[in-house]
Coordinates of all heavy atoms in Angstrom, one line a residue:
V84 N -12.7 127.9 -12.6 CA -11.8 127.0 -13.3 C -11.9 125.7 -12.7 O -11.8 125.5 -11.4 CB -10.5 127.6 -13.3 CG1 -9.5 126.5 -13.9 CG2 -10.4 129.0 -13.8
E85 N -12.3 124.7 -13.5 CA -12.3 123.2 -13.0 C -10.9 122.7 -13.3 O -10.4 122.7 -14.3 CB -13.3 122.4 -13.9 CG -14.7 122.9 -13.7 CD -15.6 122.0 -14.6 OE1 -15.9 120.9 -14.2 OE2 -15.9 122.5 -15.7
L86 N -10.3 122.3 -12.2 CA -8.9 121.8 -12.3 C -8.8 120.3 -12.5 O -9.7 119.5 -12.0 CB -8.2 122.2 -11.0 CG -7.9 123.7 -11.0 CD1 -7.7 124.1 -9.5 CD2 -6.9 124.1 -11.9
E87 N -7.9 119.9 -13.2 CA -7.8 118.5 -13.6 C -6.6 117.7 -13.0 O -6.7 116.5 -12.8 CB -7.6 118.2 -15.1 CG -8.8 118.5 -15.7 CD -8.6 118.3 -17.5 OE1 -7.8 119.0 -17.9 OE2 -9.4 117.6 -17.9
N88 N -5.6 118.5 -12.5 CA -4.4 117.9 -11.8 C -3.7 118.9 -11.0 O -4.0 120.0 -11.2 CB -3.6 117.1 -12.9 CG -3.2 118.0 -14.0 OD1 -2.6 119.1 -13.7 ND2 -3.3 117.5 -15.3
T89 N -2.7 118.4 -10.3 CA -1.9 119.4 -9.5 C -1.1 120.3 -10.2 O -0.9 121.5 -9.9 CB -1.0 118.4 -8.6 OG1 -1.8 117.6 -7.8 CG2 -0.2 119.2 -7.5
E90 N -0.6 119.9 -11.4 CA 0.3 120.8 -12.2 C -0.6 122.0 -12.6 O 0.0 123.1 -12.6 CB 0.8 120.1 -13.4 CG 1.8 119.0 -13.0 CD 1.1 117.6 -12.7 OE1 0.1 117.3 -13.1 OE2 1.6 117.2 -11.6
Q91 N -1.7 121.7 -13.0 CA -2.6 122.9 -13.5 C -2.8 123.8 -12.4 O -2.8 125.0 -12.4 CB -4.0 122.3 -14.0 CG -4.0 121.8 -15.4 CD -5.4 121.4 -15.8 OE1 -6.3 121.5 -15.0 NE2 -5.5 121.0 -17.0
L92 N -3.1 123.2 -11.2 CA -3.3 124.1 -9.9 C -2.2 124.9 -9.7 O -2.3 126.1 -9.4 CB -3.7 123.1 -8.8 CG -3.7 123.6 -7.4 CD1 -4.8 124.7 -7.2 CD2 -3.7 122.7 -6.2
Q93 N -1.0 124.4 -9.7 CA 0.3 125.0 -9.4 C 0.5 126.2 -10.4 O 0.8 127.4 -10.0 CB 1.5 124.1 -9.4 CG 1.6 123.2 -8.3 CD 2.7 122.2 -8.6 OE1 2.6 121.3 -9.5 NE2 3.6 122.2 -7.6
K94 N 0.2 125.9 -11.7 CA 0.4 127.0 -12.7 C -0.5 128.0 -12.5 O -0.3 129.4 -12.6 CB 0.4 126.4 -14.1 CG 1.6 125.7 -14.5 CD 1.3 125.0 -15.8 CE 2.4 124.0 -16.2 NZ 2.1 123.2 -17.3
V95 N -1.8 127.7 -12.2 CA -2.9 128.7 -12.3 C -2.6 129.6 -11.0 O -2.8 130.7 -11.1 CB -4.4 128.1 -12.2 CG1 -5.4 129.0 -11.8 CG2 -4.5 127.4 -13.5
Q96 N -2.5 128.9 -9.9 CA -2.1 129.6 -8.6 C -1.0 130.6 -8.8 O -1.2 131.8 -8.3 CB -1.8 128.7 -7.6 CG -2.7 128.5 -6.3 CD -2.1 127.6 -5.3 OE1 -1.6 126.6 -5.7 NE2 -2.6 127.9 -4.1
H97 N 0.0 130.1 -9.4 CA 1.3 131.0 -9.4 C 0.9 132.2 -10.3 O 1.3 133.3 -9.9 CB 2.3 130.1 -10.2 CG 3.6 131.0 -10.4 ND1 4.5 131.3 -9.4 CD2 4.1 131.4 -11.5 CE1 5.4 132.0 -10.0 NE2 5.3 132.1 -11.2
Y98 N 0.1 131.9 -11.4 CA -0.3 133.1 -12.2 C -1.2 134.1 -11.5 O -1.0 135.3 -11.6 CB -0.9 132.6 -13.5 CG -1.6 133.6 -14.3 CD1 -0.7 134.6 -15.0 CD2 -3.0 133.7 -14.4 CE1 -1.3 135.6 -15.9 CE2 -3.5 134.8 -15.2 CZ -2.7 135.6 -15.8 OH -3.3 136.6 -16.6
L99 N -2.2 133.6 -10.8 CA -3.2 134.5 -10.1 C -2.4 135.2 -9.0 O -2.8 136.4 -8.8 CB -4.3 133.6 -9.5 CG -5.2 132.9 -10.6 CD1 -6.2 132.0 -9.9 CD2 -5.8 133.9 -11.5
N100 N -1.5 134.7 -8.3 CA -0.7 135.2 -7.3 C 0.2 136.4 -8.0 O 0.2 137.5 -7.5 CB 0.4 134.4 -6.6 CG -0.4 133.5 -5.6 OD1 -1.5 133.8 -5.0 ND2 0.2 132.3 -5.3
Q101 N 0.8 136.1 -9.1 CA 1.6 137.1 -9.9 C 0.8 138.3 -10.2 O 1.3 139.5 -10.0 CB 2.0 136.5 -11.1 CG 3.4 136.7 -11.4 CD 3.9 135.9 -12.6 OE1 3.0 135.4 -13.5 NE2 5.2 135.7 -12.8
I102 N -0.4 138.1 -10.7 CA -1.2 139.3 -11.1 C -2.2 139.7 -9.9 O -3.0 140.7 -10.2 CB -2.1 139.0 -12.3 CG1 -3.1 137.8 -12.2 CG2 -1.3 138.6 -13.5 CD1 -4.2 137.8 -13.1
E103 N -1.9 139.2 -8.8 CA -2.7 139.7 -7.6 C -4.2 139.5 -7.7 O -4.9 140.5 -7.3 CB -2.3 141.0 -7.1 CG -0.8 141.1 -6.7 CD -0.3 142.4 -6.2 OE1 -1.2 143.3 -6.0 OE2 0.9 142.5 -5.9
M104 N -4.6 138.5 -8.4 CA -6.1 138.3 -8.6 C -6.6 137.4 -7.5 O -6.1 136.3 -7.2 CB -6.2 137.6 -9.9 CG -7.6 137.0 -10.3 SD -8.7 138.3 -10.7 CE -8.2 138.8 -12.2
P105 N -7.6 137.8 -6.7 CA -8.3 137.0 -5.7 C -8.7 135.6 -6.1 O -9.2 135.6 -7.3 CB -9.3 137.8 -5.1 CG -9.3 139.1 -5.8 CD -8.4 139.1 -6.8
Y106 N -8.5 134.6 -5.4 CA -9.1 133.3 -5.8 C -9.5 132.5 -4.4 O -9.0 132.8 -3.5 CB -8.2 132.5 -6.6 CG -6.9 132.0 -6.0 CD1 -6.7 131.0 -5.1 CD2 -5.7 132.9 -6.2 CE1 -5.6 130.6 -4.6 CE2 -4.5 132.6 -5.6 CZ -4.4 131.5 -4.7 OH -3.2 131.2 -4.2
V107 N -10.4 131.6 -4.8 CA -11.0 130.8 -3.6 C -11.1 129.5 -4.1 O -11.3 129.2 -5.3 CB -12.3 131.4 -3.1 CG1 -13.4 131.3 -4.2 CG2 -12.6 130.8 -1.7
V108 N -11.0 128.5 -3.2 CA -11.1 127.0 -3.6 C -12.5 126.6 -3.2 O -13.0 126.9 -2.3 CB -10.0 126.1 -2.9 CG1 -10.2 124.7 -3.3 CG2 -8.7 126.6 -3.1
L109 N -13.1 125.7 -4.1 CA -14.4 125.2 -3.9 C -14.3 123.6 -4.2 O -13.6 123.2 -5.1 CB -15.5 125.7 -4.9 CG -16.9 125.5 -4.7 CD1 -17.4 126.3 -3.4 CD2 -17.7 125.9 -5.9
G110 N -15.0 122.9 -3.2 CA -15.1 121.4 -3.4 C -16.5 121.3 -4.2 O -16.8 121.8 -5.2
N111 N -17.3 120.6 -3.3 CA -18.6 120.4 -3.9 C -19.7 121.5 -3.5 O -21.0 121.3 -3.7 CB -19.2 119.0 -3.4 CG -20.3 118.5 -4.2 OD1 -20.4 118.7 -5.5 ND2 -21.4 118.0 -3.7
G112 N -19.2 122.5 -2.8 CA -20.0 123.7 -2.4 C -21.3 123.2 -1.4 O -22.2 124.0 -1.5
S113 N -20.9 122.3 -0.6 CA -22.0 121.8 0.3 C -21.9 122.4 1.8 O -22.6 122.1 2.6 CB -22.0 120.3 0.4 OG -20.8 119.8 1.0
N114 N -20.9 123.4 2.0 CA -20.9 123.9 3.2 C -20.6 125.5 3.0 O -20.1 126.1 4.0 CB -19.7 123.3 4.0 CG -20.0 123.5 5.5 OD1 -21.2 123.4 5.9 ND2 -19.0 123.4 6.4
V115 N -21.0 126.0 2.0 CA -20.8 127.5 1.7 C -21.9 128.1 1.3 O -22.9 127.7 0.7 CB -19.7 127.8 0.6 CG1 -18.4 127.2 0.9 CG2 -20.0 127.1 -0.7
L116 N -22.0 129.5 1.7 CA -23.1 130.4 1.2 C -22.4 131.4 0.4 O -21.5 132.3 1.0 CB -23.8 131.0 2.6 CG -24.9 132.1 2.1 CD1 -26.1 131.3 1.4 CD2 -25.4 132.7 3.3
V117 N -22.7 131.6 -0.8 CA -22.1 132.5 -1.7 C -23.1 133.8 -1.7 O -24.3 133.6 -2.0 CB -21.8 132.1 -3.1 CG1 -21.1 133.1 -4.0 CG2 -21.0 130.7 -3.0
S118 N -22.5 135.0 -1.7 CA -23.3 136.2 -1.7 C -24.0 136.4 -3.0 O -23.7 135.8 -4.0 CB -22.4 137.4 -1.4 OG -22.5 138.3 -2.4
D119 N -25.1 137.2 -2.9 CA -25.9 137.4 -4.2 C -25.1 138.1 -5.2 O -25.4 138.2 -6.4 CB -27.2 138.3 -3.9 CG -28.1 137.4 -3.0 OD1 -28.4 136.2 -3.3 OD2 -28.6 137.9 -1.9
E120 N -24.1 139.0 -4.7 CA -23.2 139.6 -5.7 C -22.2 138.7 -6.3 O -21.3 139.1 -7.2 CB -22.5 140.7 -4.8 CG -23.4 141.9 -4.5 CD -22.5 142.8 -3.5 OE1 -21.5 142.9 -3.6 OE2 -23.3 143.4 -2.7
G121 N -22.1 137.4 -5.7 CA -21.2 136.4 -6.4 C -19.8 136.7 -6.0 O -19.6 137.1 -4.8
Y122 N -18.8 136.3 -6.7 CA -17.4 136.3 -6.2 C -16.5 137.1 -7.2 O -16.6 136.8 -8.4 CB -16.9 135.0 -5.9 CG -15.4 135.1 -5.5 CD1 -15.2 135.4 -4.3 CD2 -14.4 134.6 -6.3 CE1 -13.8 135.4 -3.8 CE2 -13.1 134.7 -5.9 CZ -12.8 135.0 -4.6 OH -11.5 135.1 -4.1
R123 N -15.9 138.1 -6.8 CA -15.0 139.0 -7.7 C -13.7 138.2 -7.7 O -12.8 138.4 -6.9 CB -14.9 140.4 -7.4 CG -16.2 141.3 -7.2 CD -16.7 141.6 -8.6 NE -17.3 140.3 -9.2 CZ -18.5 139.9 -9.0 NH1 -19.3 140.5 -8.1 NH2 -18.9 138.8 -9.6
G124 N -13.4 137.5 -8.6 CA -12.1 136.8 -8.7 C -12.3 135.4 -9.4 O -13.3 135.3 -9.9
V125 N -11.5 134.5 -9.0 CA -11.5 133.2 -9.8 C -11.8 132.1 -8.6 O -11.2 132.0 -7.6 CB -10.2 132.8 -10.4 CG1 -10.1 131.5 -11.0 CG2 -9.9 133.9 -11.5
V126 N -12.8 131.3 -8.9 CA -13.1 130.1 -8.1 C -12.3 129.0 -8.7 O -12.6 128.6 -9.8 CB -14.6 129.8 -8.1 CG1 -15.0 128.6 -7.3 CG2 -15.5 131.1 -7.5
L127 N -11.5 128.3 -7.9 CA -10.7 127.1 -8.4 C -11.6 126.0 -7.9 O -11.6 125.8 -6.6 CB -9.4 127.0 -7.7 CG -8.4 128.4 -8.1 CD1 -7.2 128.2 -7.4 CD2 -8.2 128.5 -9.7
Q128 N -12.2 125.2 -8.7 CA -13.0 124.0 -8.3 C -12.1 122.7 -8.3 O -11.7 122.4 -9.4 CB -14.2 123.9 -9.1 CG -15.2 122.9 -8.5 CD -16.6 122.9 -9.2 OE1 -16.7 122.9 -10.3 NE2 -17.5 122.8 -8.3
I129 N -12.0 122.1 -7.2 CA -11.4 120.7 -7.1 C -12.5 119.8 -7.0 O -13.1 119.6 -5.9 CB -10.4 120.7 -5.9 CG1 -9.5 121.9 -5.9 CG2 -9.7 119.3 -5.9 CD1 -8.1 121.7 -6.6
G130 N -13.0 119.3 -8.1 CA -14.3 118.6 -8.1 C -14.0 117.3 -8.9 O -13.0 116.6 -8.8
N131 N -15.1 117.0 -9.7 CA -15.1 115.5 -10.3 C -14.0 115.4 -11.4 O -13.9 114.3 -12.0 CB -16.5 115.2 -10.9 CG -17.0 116.3 -11.8 OD1 -16.3 117.0 -12.3 ND2 -18.3 116.2 -12.1
R132 N -13.3 116.4 -11.7 CA -12.1 116.2 -12.7 C -11.0 115.7 -11.9 O -9.9 115.4 -12.6 CB -12.0 117.4 -13.5 CG -13.2 117.7 -14.4 CD -12.8 118.8 -15.4 NE -14.1 119.3 -16.0 CZ -14.8 118.6 -17.0 NH1 -14.3 117.6 -17.5 NH2 -15.8 119.1 -17.4
M133 N -11.0 115.7 -10.6 CA -9.9 115.2 -9.7 C -10.4 114.2 -8.8 O -10.4 114.6 -7.6 CB -9.1 116.4 -9.1 CG -8.2 117.1 -9.8 SD -7.4 118.5 -9.1 CE -6.2 117.6 -7.9
N134 N -10.8 113.2 -9.2 CA -11.6 112.2 -8.3 C -11.1 110.8 -8.3 O -11.9 109.8 -8.1 CB -13.1 112.3 -8.6 CG -13.5 111.7 -9.9 OD1 -12.6 111.3 -10.6 ND2 -14.8 111.7 -10.2
R135 N -9.8 110.5 -8.7 CA -9.3 109.1 -8.7 C -9.2 108.7 -7.3 O -8.8 109.4 -6.3 CB -8.0 109.1 -9.5 CG -8.2 109.0 -11.0 CD -6.9 108.5 -11.6 NE -5.8 109.4 -11.2 CZ -5.5 110.7 -11.8 NH1 -6.5 111.0 -12.8 NH2 -4.5 111.3 -11.4
I136 N -9.5 107.3 -7.1 CA -9.4 106.7 -5.9 C -8.5 105.3 -6.0 O -8.9 104.6 -6.9 CB -10.9 106.3 -5.3 CG1 -11.7 107.5 -5.2 CG2 -10.7 105.5 -4.0 CD1 -13.2 107.2 -5.0
L137 N -7.6 105.1 -5.2 CA -6.8 103.9 -5.3 C -6.8 103.3 -3.9 O -7.0 103.8 -2.9 CB -5.3 104.4 -5.4 CG -4.7 104.5 -6.7 CD1 -3.2 105.1 -6.5 CD2 -4.6 103.3 -7.4
V138 N -6.8 101.9 -4.1 CA -6.9 101.1 -2.8 C -5.6 100.1 -2.7 O -5.4 99.6 -3.9 CB -8.1 100.3 -2.9 CG1 -8.3 99.4 -1.5 CG2 -9.5 101.0 -3.0
E139 N -4.9 100.3 -1.5 CA -3.7 99.4 -1.4 C -3.9 98.7 0.0 O -3.6 99.4 1.0 CB -2.4 100.3 -1.6 CG -2.1 100.7 -3.0 CD -1.0 101.7 -2.9 OE1 -0.3 101.9 -1.9 OE2 -0.8 102.3 -4.1
G140 N -4.2 97.5 0.0 CA -4.4 96.9 1.3 C -5.5 97.5 2.1 O -6.5 97.9 1.6
N141 N -5.1 98.0 3.3 CA -6.1 98.7 4.2 C -6.0 100.2 3.9 O -6.6 101.0 4.7 CB -5.7 98.4 5.7 CG -5.9 97.0 6.1 OD1 -6.6 96.3 5.3 ND2 -5.6 96.7 7.3
Y142 N -5.2 100.6 3.0 CA -5.0 102.1 2.7 C -5.8 102.5 1.5 O -5.8 101.7 0.5 CB -3.5 102.4 2.6 CG -2.8 102.2 3.8 CD1 -2.2 101.1 4.2 CD2 -2.7 103.3 4.7 CE1 -1.6 100.9 5.4 CE2 -1.9 103.2 6.0 CZ -1.4 102.0 6.2 OH -0.8 101.9 7.4
M143 N -6.3 103.7 1.5 CA -6.9 104.3 0.3 C -6.3 105.7 0.1 O -6.0 106.4 1.1 CB -8.5 104.6 0.5 CG -9.1 103.2 0.6 SD -11.0 103.6 0.8 CE -11.4 103.7 -1.0
I144 N -6.1 106.0 -1.1 CA -5.7 107.3 -1.6 C -6.7 107.9 -2.5 O -6.9 107.2 -3.6 CB -4.2 107.2 -2.3 CG1 -3.2 106.6 -1.4 CG2 -3.7 108.6 -2.6 CD1 -1.9 106.2 -2.1
A145 N -7.2 109.1 -2.2 CA -8.3 109.7 -3.0 C -7.8 111.1 -3.4 O -7.2 111.8 -2.5 CB -9.4 109.7 -2.2
Q146 N -8.0 111.5 -4.6 CA -7.8 112.8 -5.0 C -8.8 113.7 -4.3 O -10.0 113.3 -4.1 CB -8.0 112.9 -6.5 CG -6.8 112.3 -7.2 CD -6.7 112.8 -8.7 OE1 -7.8 112.6 -9.4 NE2 -5.7 113.4 -9.2
A147 N -8.6 114.9 -4.1 CA -9.4 115.8 -3.3 C -10.8 116.0 -3.8 O -11.7 116.4 -3.1 CB -8.6 117.1 -3.0
G148 N -10.9 115.9 -5.1 CA -12.2 116.1 -5.7 C -13.2 114.9 -5.6 O -14.4 115.0 -6.1
A149 N -12.7 113.8 -5.1 CA -13.6 112.6 -5.1 C -14.6 112.9 -3.9 O -14.4 113.6 -3.0 CB -12.8 111.4 -4.7
L150 N -15.8 112.5 -4.3 CA -17.0 112.7 -3.3 C -16.8 111.7 -2.0 O -16.3 110.4 -2.4 CB -18.3 112.5 -4.0 CG -18.8 113.5 -4.9 CD1 -20.1 113.2 -5.5 CD2 -19.0 114.9 -4.2
L151 N -17.0 112.2 -0.9 CA -17.0 111.2 0.2 C -17.7 110.0 0.0 O -17.4 108.8 0.4 CB -17.3 111.9 1.6 CG -16.3 113.1 2.0 CD1 -17.0 114.0 3.0 CD2 -15.1 112.5 2.5

Side-chain angles (χ1 to χ4, degrees):
V84 176
E85 296 177 81
L86 293 159
E87 290 181 302
N88 55 52
T89 304
E90 296 74 45
Q91 279 184 358
L92 168 68
Q93 287 170 300
K94 286 179 186 162
V95 170
Q96 237 184 334
H97 179 73
Y98 171 68
L99 295 176
N100 284 334
Q101 218 175 26
I102 63 165
E103 296 183 6
M104 172 73 68
Y106 60 85
V107 69
V108 183
L109 190 74
N111 198 39
S113 65
N114 211 25
V115 293
L116 177 68
V117 183
S118 126
D119 296 313
E120 291 169 32
Y122 182 72
R123 301 288 73 79
V125 179
V126 176
L127 301 178
Q128 187 166 49
I129 310 271
N131 59 13
R132 297 187 191 278
M133 276 180 73
N134 67 357
R135 275 194 306 280
I136 302 168
L137 268 174
V138 182
E139 285 171 11
N141 292 350
Y142 292 88
M143 295 184 79
I144 303 170
Q146 283 190 306
L150 288 172
L151 291 167

